[in-house]
Amino acid sequence: QTPLYQSSAQVLVAPISLPLQGQQSYALVNMASEQLVAASPEVANLAQRELASDGITPGVVSVEASLEDQTLIFAATSPRPSAARQTADAYASAYLDHRSLQLQQDLQDGEDSINAVINDINEQIRRAESELAAAQASGDESRATVLQLRITSLSEQLTTQQTSLNQILLAGSAPVGHVVAPAYLPSSPSSPDVQRNRLLGILLGISLGVGLAFLLERLDQGVRLREDVETSTG
């Protein structure tokens, strides 16, 4: 068997907080979902492109999630110790890059939505101010009072939306996680397990030997003892 080396990198997944209608919404980390993302083709493509640029053949990667400490463990196996280490590091980095890109996309969608609301509120304020000027010019005080209250209300809504927009800009710089344990260079193969294989070989050899001996005895029709003759002839 070809000796295989294994190395692993551990990533701490940080919760992401997003503004929601002027308030802060704190999202809990769903480690099962994050594990699926970490093992997704998108993350694999990012990691393999990075490895290919360095002339490294990627190893085989598995991802495990720890619910207690909210970490992901990227374990890579390769015939080369250095390739195992670099593969684990590349996948950990690719996962964080993918999560950061996804956050930026979500924030951009939120920013676009809030900007659309802000533009609509500004247009409503502009029309209300125009109507207010006309009401004041005509001496319609009751109409002017209503319009002034409406402008005040719209201005408060505008302030709320601008606050949400500022929170989105701040959320864009929040960390999505970081590597808490970089991959190490393995000093000895993780497989094959020679001691285990020897034990299995011994057990298998004994089992086959006993089974074969029993089978041969059952199939043997030879007569060798006096008792055999008496049993066969009566």
Side-chain angles (χ1 to χ4, degrees), residues 23-169:
Q23 299 179 352
Q24 201 75 358
S25 173
Y26 292 93
L28 297 177
V29 178
N30 186 331
M31 293 306 298
S33 298
E34 295 302 325
Q35 183 179 7
L36 291 176
V37 172
S40 67
E42 291 82 1
V43 171
N45 289 336
L46 289 175
Q48 289 172 9
R49 282 202 298 267
E50 178 183 346
L51 293 169
S53 65
D54 296 333
I56 300 170
T57 301
V60 179
V61 178
S62 62
V63 183
E64 295 183 2
S66 174
L67 300 179
E68 295 181 358
D69 50 12
Q70 294 186 342
T71 60
L72 293 173
I73 299 175
F74 296 82
T77 304
S78 173
R80 297 175 53 205
S82 59
R85 180 184 63 180
Q86 290 170 295
T87 298
D89 278 337
Y91 270 77
S93 177
Y95 163 75
L96 292 174
D97 290 343
H98 180 273
R99 196 164 192 251
S100 180
L101 289 173
Q102 187 61 54
L103 171 62
Q104 296 301 324
Q105 182 61 53
D106 293 341
L107 292 176
Q108 185 61 54
D109 293 342
E111 183 178 347
D112 293 342
S113 176
I114 291 177
N115 280 327
V117 174
I118 289 176
N119 291 335
D120 180 63
I121 293 175
N122 282 328
E123 179 61 25
Q124 293 184 55
I125 291 176
R126 187 191 64 79
R127 290 198 302 265
E129 289 176 342
S130 178
E131 294 178 11
L132 175 61
Q136 290 174 340
S138 63
D140 189 348
E141 295 299 331
S142 60
R143 176 64 174 167
T145 301
V146 172
L147 289 170
Q148 187 62 56
L149 291 174
R150 176 168 175 74
I151 292 173
T152 301
S153 176
L154 289 171
S155 297
E156 293 174 354
Q157 295 179 35
L158 183 61
T159 300
T160 299
Q161 295 299 326
Q162 287 175 337
T163 300
S164 296
L165 185 59
N166 292 335
Q167 290 176 341
I168 282 182
L169 297 177

Side-chain angles (χ1 to χ4, degrees), residues 189-210:
S190 59
S191 67
D193 188 335
V194 178
Q195 191 67 23
R196 183 194 63 184
N197 288 349
R198 286 175 177 170
L199 179 60
L200 290 177
I202 292 173
L203 293 177
L204 181 61
I206 292 174
S207 300
L208 289 177
V210 171

